[in-house]
Amino acid sequence: MKSAYLACLAIILSTPLSSYADKSYPVAGTQPDARPAGAPVIEWVRHDQAWFKHALTGIQPPFPRSLYFLDNQGNWYTPFNHPGLTGPYDIREWHQK
């Protein structure tokens, strides 16, 4: 029985898996300091008033200068724009609505 498992394992390990890979598609991470040629580039991001209103939920004007980073916020994830903990930790009242 053990020899049957070893035989199966030998067959699996001897199969060339590289033949199944698509050679035309670039592999990410081989040059992490360089952007692949032809990769899409975001040139600008424009947030409307509804986005700012949502991002500033629970904060009353005048807004502190420390929140001006929202003017340059791109489309990447930031925990500032999403509800956090519930209960007594919900100081911005995200979960009250």
Side-chain angles (χ1 to χ4, degrees):
M1 189 72 157
K2 188 174 183 180
S3 61
Y5 287 123
L6 290 176
C8 288
L9 182 61
I11 292 171
I12 291 171
L13 292 177
S14 65
T15 304
L17 297 176
S18 62
S19 63
Y20 299 111
D22 183 5
K23 305 280 192 246
S24 65
Y25 194 77
V27 177
T30 57
Q31 293 180 329
D33 62 329
R35 188 171 183 82
V41 178
I42 298 174
E43 295 181 6
W44 54 270
V45 176
R46 183 175 298 154
H47 295 298
D48 58 3
Q49 289 300 99
W51 184 89
F52 279 100
K53 183 178 178 185
H54 175 75
L56 294 169
T57 297
I59 302 171
Q60 302 300 322
F63 302 118
R65 188 124 176 95
S66 61
L67 294 181
Y68 287 10
F69 76 92
L70 291 172
D71 293 337
N72 298 315
Q73 178 70 37
N75 284 336
W76 54 86
Y77 174 81
T78 178
F80 190 81
N81 298 355
H82 302 282
L85 295 172
T86 59
Y89 306 105
D90 187 18
I91 59 174
R92 291 177 57 193
E93 299 179 352
W94 283 92
H95 299 284
Q96 305 284 327
K97 298 176 180 175

